[in-house]
Amino acid sequence: MSLTVRLDPHVHSEASYDGHDPVELLLEQAAEIGLDAVTVTDHDVIHESVRAAKLAPKYGLVGIPGVEVSTADGHLLALGIREMPPHRESMADTAAWVRDRGGVAIVPHPFQRSRHGVRKRQLRGVEPDAIEVYNSWAFTGWKNRRARRYANAYGYPGVAGSDAHKVGYVGRAYTEIEIDGVGRDELTTEVVLNAICHGATRVEGQRTPIPTSARHYAGAGVRKSGLYARYGAYRGGSLAKTGAVGAARMLYRLSPLSG
């Protein structure tokens, strides 16, 4: 007996600085489109993800808590944990911290520096549990293909995630996980995560339209630069200029023209 489980492991709620919707809507959407599980992975906060995991069974879903944590080397998805990992530590140390607590460490959108993806030379020492080889918010397929080649070359399981920041994009990309000897009523967080680690995965999905991606990341860049600007005013203005210049550079890097 084999069971196919459909998981979107990379979704953002309104608790993220660039998210929009409450977890209840995200769960409702996930159930409506036929997913079996979803992980809310907000940026550097975990409280809404823990709440979503508790609510998930009411929607017929397996609730898997997690977070997208900012490490010193780039973003890292930590699935199956209920407390915040260390912030701004090395990715290798953070991944080890996650595994020590029974979680799964997945590298999202690797090599995409404009989105805080880890560099290849830094990734080599991390030993994650899986690599996100399909992220629906990639402007082109090149970085996804590069991530897939890396995962294949080093024997890492590949996953797909929508990286949704609005409810309508939940499940635009997702991971299919084949699990043997388990009925649907026996599915748990541990069973799903264990299957990912053993590589029983397939990726499905489609990219978000480029204009939508561009608007989203441009808006996120402006919001971040606003934070820098306000902090800069408090510090006498020294960081405000940095924030404005940084925002301009960010908007170019995030545009389709930057490659």
Side-chain angles (χ1 to χ4, degrees):
M1 179 178 65
S2 179
L3 179 65
T4 300
V5 175
R6 295 171 178 84
L7 162 69
D8 189 343
H10 191 175
V11 173
H12 296 273
S13 80
E14 61 186 358
S16 285
Y17 71 86
D18 53 356
H20 295 271
D21 297 302
V23 297
E24 288 85 355
L25 283 182
L26 304 179
L27 294 170
E28 183 177 322
Q29 174 71 0
E32 182 70 22
I33 64 175
L35 293 180
D36 302 293
V38 65
T39 303
V40 174
T41 51
D42 290 320
H43 292 290
D44 297 316
V45 292
I46 201 170
H47 61 283
E48 283 299 277
S49 183
V50 171
R51 190 169 74 87
K54 292 179 180 178
L55 290 173
K58 296 181 180 180
Y59 296 82
L61 301 168
V62 178
I64 302 175
V67 65
E68 184 168 10
V69 61
S70 299
T71 77
D73 305 310
H75 287 175
L76 181 71
L77 297 179
L79 274 58
I81 62 170
R82 295 178 180 274
E83 58 180 308
M84 272 299 301
H87 190 249
R88 299 294 181 186
E89 299 293 333
S90 74
M91 185 174 286
D93 288 346
T94 308
W97 186 97
V98 172
R99 284 193 295 272
D100 286 346
R101 286 154 181 80
V104 169
I106 300 175
V107 176
H109 44 71
F111 319 131
Q112 299 183 38
R113 293 303 298 160
S114 62
R115 300 175 61 203
H116 309 288
V118 64
R119 296 179 186 273
K120 185 175 181 178
R121 66 174 181 272
Q122 294 164 322
L123 179 53
R124 285 174 178 162
V126 173
E127 297 185 4
D129 296 298
I131 303 285
E132 186 181 68
V133 301
Y134 194 99
N135 180 291
S136 70
W137 284 88
F139 280 127
T140 69
W142 178 60
K143 292 294 176 66
N144 281 336
R145 290 192 296 272
R146 186 181 175 195
R148 186 189 292 269
R149 288 196 299 269
Y150 184 93
N152 290 339
Y154 290 92
Y156 291 115
V159 304
S162 68
D163 202 355
H165 290 72
K166 291 184 179 180
V167 64
Y169 292 99
V170 171
R172 194 170 182 88
Y174 59 91
T175 305
E176 287 193 344
I177 308 162
E178 290 298 323
I179 304 177
D180 294 327
V182 175
R184 191 164 296 276
D185 59 348
E186 300 173 290
L187 276 180
T188 64
T189 297
E190 292 73 20
V191 168
V192 174
L193 295 183
N194 186 60
I196 292 175
C197 292
H198 284 82
T201 60
R202 292 192 303 269
V203 300
E204 299 287 345
Q206 56 185 319
R207 291 203 305 274
T208 301
I210 286 177
T212 302
S213 299
R215 286 194 300 271
H216 167 76
Y217 285 108
V222 169
R223 287 193 293 274
K224 270 195 167 182
S225 71
L227 293 175
Y228 290 137
R230 288 194 294 276
Y231 184 58
Y234 176 75
R235 292 283 299 275
S238 62
L239 292 182
K241 181 178 179 181
T242 302
V245 173
R249 290 173 178 167
M250 179 184 291
L251 294 182
Y252 172 75
R253 290 199 306 269
L254 293 176
S255 74
L257 299 177
S258 69

